[in-house]
C-alpha cells in the first residue's frame, strides 16, 4: 500500500519525502484546492521545484485541484490543470466533473484521481468517473466501513485510496454547506472550511470561547483539549442539554485497521493535514512508515502514537468500524 | 527561570537592539516569509512568552521589519500569540505543530486569525531557526552562546514534561 502524505508548503513536502512518503499531495495557492489557507500552498515555480525534488527521491507528487469550478471563472481551474501537468505532476486529484472532463480531453495522458470531495461512495458512481474520464484511482469518502470498501474494490476497475489519519468531515464531503452558511465561504467553492478571517477566540471567565462568524462554536474549560472552530464539531445548547450534535472533535486514526484495509484491497493510504506544520507532517509520516514496515514484516504495529497531534487530543476509527451511536 | 529574572531586572533597550539586528538578518536570509505573509506584513503581532515578564510586538514589514520589547502588550494589536517561550520558539524551528499546541492549550491565540495563520505558515515554511540564526553575527562565539540559550529555553525532554512534547 502506498503512503500518501500531505504538504502545505515546499518545506513540508521535503519533510514528507524525507520521512518516508511514497507520494505527496499538495495544491496551488488559490481557490482551486480545498486547503486555500493564508500563507499556505505552492506558487507555480515552487510546485515545479518541489516535484523535481520529490522525483529525485523517487517520490510521486499528486496535485489537488479539488474544489468545484465557479461559473464564469473555469479558466482558473483549467490553468491549474495545465500548470500541474507542465510541472510534472504524477496525478491530478479532481472533484468537479467539468474539470475532470477538461483533464481527459486536454491531457489524456495525465493520470487522474477522483478526489474525496467528489463523494464517490458506490461502484456506479466510481465506474462513471472511470468510464467517462479514465480515472485511475478514487479517494473514498470517509463514510464507508471496511467491508463496504472491500465490496467496492471488487466491483470497480480502478485503485482505491482511503484516509488513515487526520481531521474528519461530517460525512458530507463535497456537499457540506455549514461553513458557507456561517461565513459565505466553503471548502467546496473557496477551498476554506471555517475561514480564518471569520474565526474569533477569546478568554471568558477562564474558558476559551471559539466563534465562527455569528455563531459560538464551543466553550472549553481550563485544561480541556481544544478543537477547530467548525460548525460540525460545535458543542451546542439545546432543550435537552449541551453536547456535540453532529460530530465529536476528534481525529481519525486507522492504525489498528491497517491489516484489514490491506486485506480489503486498498491501494493507497492517505494522511490528512495539508494545513498542519512540518512537525505534524514529519511525525505522522514517519510513524505510519514504521507501521507499514511492521505490517509487511508481520510484526505488531505500535498504536496510539499520535494522540497528542490529534484534534481534541482524541482519536477514532471513524466509519471503518461504525461503533458510534 | 534565569531568563525571567534577567528580563525582570535588566533594561529592555539593549535586547530590543539585538533582536532587531537578528530580525534584519532573518529578513535577508528568508525573503519568502514576506511573500507568504502577503497583506499581513502590515499587521502588528503581540508575542507573549507566558514564562517571562516581557513580551514582543512584531511588525513584519517587508522593507523594515521591527520588533519592540515591552513589559506588557499594548492594546492596539492585530493578533496575539501567547505560550511558554519553548513552545513559541519550537513553532518557529519546526519542533512543534501549532495546531497541536492549540489543541493541548499550550498556546493561546486571539485577534485576527488570518494574520496568525499566515504568520504560522510563513515561519513554518521558512525553516528559520530563531535561536541559531539570532547569534550568527557573534562569529566564533555563536556556537557556545547558542548552546547556552538552548539550555535556558528548555530541552525537548523538558518540553515533553510540559505537555507540549506529544504535540510534535
Amino acid at each position: 500500500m502506498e503512503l500518501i502524505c500531505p504538504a502545505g508548503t515546499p518545506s513540508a513536502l521535503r519533510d514528507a519525502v524525507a520521512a518516508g512518503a511514497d507520494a505527496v499531495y499538495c495544491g496551488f495557492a488559490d481557490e482551486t484546492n480545498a486547503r486555500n489557507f493564508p500563507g499556505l500552498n505552492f506558487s507555480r515555480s515552487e510546485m515545479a521545484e518541489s516535484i523535481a525534488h520529490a522525483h529525485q527521491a523517487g517520490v510521486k507528487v499528486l496535485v489537488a485541484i479539488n474544489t468545484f469550478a465557479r461559473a464564469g471563472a473555469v479558466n482558473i481551474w483549467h490553468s491549474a490543470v495545465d500548470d500541474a501537468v507542465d510541472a510534472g505532476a504524477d496525478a491530478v486529484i479532481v472533484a468537479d466533473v467539468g474539470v475532470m472532463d477538461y483533464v481527459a480531453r486536454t491531457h489524456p495522458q495525465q493520470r487522474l484521481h477522483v478526489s474525496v470531495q467528489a463523494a464517490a461512495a458506490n461502484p456506479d458512481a466510481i465506474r462513471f468517473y472511470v468510464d467517462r474520464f479514465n480515472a485511475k484511482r478514487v479517494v473514498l469518502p470517509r463514510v464507508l466501513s471496511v467491508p463496504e470498501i472491500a465490496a467496492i474494490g471488487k466491483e470497480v476497475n480502478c485503485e482505491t485510496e482511503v484516509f488513515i489519519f487526520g481531521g474528519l468531515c461530517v460525512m458530507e464531503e463535497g456537499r457540506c454547506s455549514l461553513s458557507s452558511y456561517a461565513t459565505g465561504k466553503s471548502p467546496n467553492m473557496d477551498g476554506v472550511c471555517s475561514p480564518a478571517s471569520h474565526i474569533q477566540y477569546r478568554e471568558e471567565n477562564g474558558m476559551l470561547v471559539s466563534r465562527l462568524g455569528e455563531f459560538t462554536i464551543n466553550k472549553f474549560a481550563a485544561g480541556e483539549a481544544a478543537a477547530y472552530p467548525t460548525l460540525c464539531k460545535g458543542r451546542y445548547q439545546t432543550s435537552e442539554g449541551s453536547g456535540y450534535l453532529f460530530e465529536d472533535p476528534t481525529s481519525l486514526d486507522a492504525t489498528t485497521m491497517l491489516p484489514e484495509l490491506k486485506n480489503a484491497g486498498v491501494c493507497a493510504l492517505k494522511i490528512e493535514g495539508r494545513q498542519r506544520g512540518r512537525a505534524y507532517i514529519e511525525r505522522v509520516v514517519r510513524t505510519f512508515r514504521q507501521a507499514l514496515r511492521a505490517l509487511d514484516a508481520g510484526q505488531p504495529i505500535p498504536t496510539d502514537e499520535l494522540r497528542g497531534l490529534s484534534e481534541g487530543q482524541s482519536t477514532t476509527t471513524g466509519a471503518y468500524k461504525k461503533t458510534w451511536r | 527561570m534565569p531568563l525571567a529574572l534577567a528580563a525582570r531586572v535588566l533594561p529592555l533597550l539593549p535586547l530590543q537592539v539585538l533582536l532587531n539586528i537578528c530580525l534584519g538578518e532573518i529578513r535577508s536570509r528568508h525573503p519568502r516569509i514576506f511573500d507568504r505573509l502577503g497583506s499581513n506584513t502590515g499587521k502588528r503581532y503581540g508575542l507573549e512568552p507566558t514564562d517571562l515578564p516581557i513580551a514582543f510586538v512584531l511588525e513584519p514589514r517587508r522593507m523594515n521589519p521591527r520588533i519592540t520589547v515591552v513589559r506588557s502588550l499594548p492594546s492596539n494589536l492585530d493578533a496575539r500569540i501567547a505560550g511558554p517561550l519553548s513552545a513559541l520558539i519550537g513553532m518557529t524551528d519546526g519542533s512543534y505543530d501549532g495546531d497541536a499546541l492549540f489543541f493541548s492549550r499550550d498556546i493561546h491565540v486571539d485577534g485576527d486569525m488570518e494574520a496568525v495563520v499566515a504568520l504560522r505558515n510563513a515561519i513554518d515554511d521558512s525553516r528559520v531557526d530563531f535561536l541559531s540564526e539570532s547569534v550568527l553575527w557573534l562569529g566564533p562565539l555563536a556556537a557556545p552562546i547558542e548552546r547556552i540559550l538552548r539550555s535556558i529555553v528548555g530541552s525537548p525532554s523538558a518540553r515533553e514534561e510540559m505537555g507540549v512534547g506529544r504535540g510534535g
Side-chain angles (χ1 to χ4, degrees), chain A:
Chain A
M1 292 186 287
E2 284 183 27
L3 187 58
I4 315 296
C5 306
T9 63
S11 286
L13 179 141
R14 286 174 178 263
D15 285 2
V17 167
D22 291 312
V24 179
Y25 69 103
C26 50
F28 292 121
D30 59 32
E31 64 201 283
T32 63
N33 99 71
R35 286 285 184 265
N36 183 22
F37 292 3
L40 207 65
N41 297 313
F42 292 64
S43 68
R44 266 46 178 179
S45 61
E46 287 172 342
M47 184 66 79
E49 290 163 12
S50 297
I51 290 175
H53 171 78
H55 285 176
Q56 279 181 348
V59 174
K60 296 173 185 168
V61 176
L62 320 177
V63 178
I65 305 168
N66 59 343
T67 49
F68 293 87
R70 182 158 38 86
V74 292
N75 60 311
I76 297 172
W77 281 260
H78 291 175
S79 66
V81 170
D82 296 340
D83 293 340
V85 174
D86 287 346
D90 295 280
V92 288
I93 308 171
V94 179
D96 184 304
V97 288
V99 180
M100 286 189 208
D101 181 62
Y102 179 80
V103 174
R105 284 188 294 104
T106 314
H107 305 286
Q109 302 305 314
Q110 177 63 51
R111 187 177 169 89
L112 172 67
H113 292 183
V114 179
S115 168
V116 67
Q117 286 288 96
N122 59 67
D124 286 343
I126 295 166
R127 273 196 292 265
F128 172 78
Y129 295 119
V130 172
D131 293 344
R132 295 301 297 268
F133 309 121
N134 196 26
K136 298 297 185 189
R137 180 182 296 179
V138 59
V139 185
L140 294 174
R142 288 160 278 193
V143 299
L144 301 165
S145 65
V146 174
E148 289 169 336
I149 291 169
I152 286 174
K154 286 175 184 164
E155 289 192 47
V156 299
N157 188 25
C158 75
E159 301 165 352
T160 53
E161 179 175 312
V162 299
F163 280 89
I164 51 168
F165 189 82
L168 282 171
C169 280
V170 66
M171 307 223 164
E172 288 287 337
E173 285 156 312
R175 300 164 183 166
C176 179
S177 296
L178 288 174
S179 178
S180 188
Y181 175 72
T183 70
K185 293 192 172 184
S186 76
N188 313 320
M189 303 297 288
D190 308 285
V192 280
C193 175
S194 306
S197 55
H198 291 67
I199 292 171
Q200 294 172 37
Y201 296 112
R202 68 168 184 268
E203 298 286 333
E204 196 175 275
N205 301 323
M207 304 182 87
L208 170 65
V209 179
S210 61
R211 288 177 61 82
L212 180 69
E214 299 299 314
F215 298 90
T216 298
I217 301 297
N218 215 329
K219 290 184 178 179
F220 301 100
E224 184 182 10
Y228 289 126
T230 54
L231 277 171
C232 58
K233 292 169 185 166
R235 185 159 43 184
Y236 300 105
Q237 288 180 330
T238 72
S239 58
E240 297 182 21
S242 67
Y244 293 102
L245 296 185
F246 301 104
E247 185 180 15
D248 289 352
T250 182
S251 289
L252 174 70
D253 184 356
T255 307
T256 59
M257 310 295 294
L258 292 178
E260 292 167 69
L261 292 169
K262 185 178 183 182
N263 292 335
V266 166
C267 167
L269 305 169
K270 187 166 215 159
I271 296 166
E272 185 275 346
R274 284 191 281 151
Q275 76 283 13
R276 303 291 293 265
R278 288 187 290 116
Y280 168 97
I281 306 278
E282 194 279 333
R283 182 154 171 207
V284 176
V285 174
R286 179 164 42 85
T287 299
F288 274 100
R289 173 50 62 202
Q290 290 168 349
L292 289 176
R293 284 200 189 107
L295 178 67
D296 290 341
Q299 296 170 345
I301 300 172
T303 59
D304 206 22
E305 298 278 300
L306 301 169
R307 184 181 295 269
L309 288 167
S310 303
E311 183 173 10
Q313 302 213 299
S314 69
T315 59
T316 175
T317 53
Y320 295 141
K321 281 188 176 170
K322 285 191 175 171
T323 55
W324 67 89
R325 58 181 180 262

Side-chain angles (χ1 to χ4, degrees), chain B residues 60-83:
Chain B
R61 297 180 295 220
R62 186 184 288 269
M63 298 308 293
N64 56 340
R66 189 170 69 172
I67 191 160
T68 310
V69 188
V70 294
R71 295 288 180 195
S72 62
L73 287 174
S75 57
N76 59 340
L77 297 168
D78 292 294
R80 181 182 72 103
I81 307 171

Side-chain angles (χ1 to χ4, degrees), chain B residues 3-4 6-23 44-49 52-59 65-74 77 85 130:
Chain B
L3 203 57
R8 187 170 290 114
V9 299
L10 293 176
L12 301 183
L13 187 58
L15 175 61
Q16 182 168 310
V17 171
L18 289 176
L19 286 174
N20 277 289
I21 293 172
C22 301
L23 191 59
R44 281 165 56 86
Y45 295 85
L47 308 175
E48 187 174 14
L52 290 183
I54 57 174
F56 308 93
V57 176
L58 173 66
E59 296 168 275
R66 189 170 69 172
I67 191 160
T68 310
V69 188
V70 294
R71 295 288 180 195
S72 62
L73 287 174
L77 297 168
L85 181 64
F130 184 77

Side-chain angles (χ1 to χ4, degrees), chain B residues 18-33:
Chain B
L18 289 176
L19 286 174
N20 277 289
I21 293 172
C22 301
L23 191 59
E25 292 291 315
I26 289 171
R27 169 182 170 265
S28 61
R29 276 195 296 273
H30 302 280
R32 215 161 68 181
I33 289 178

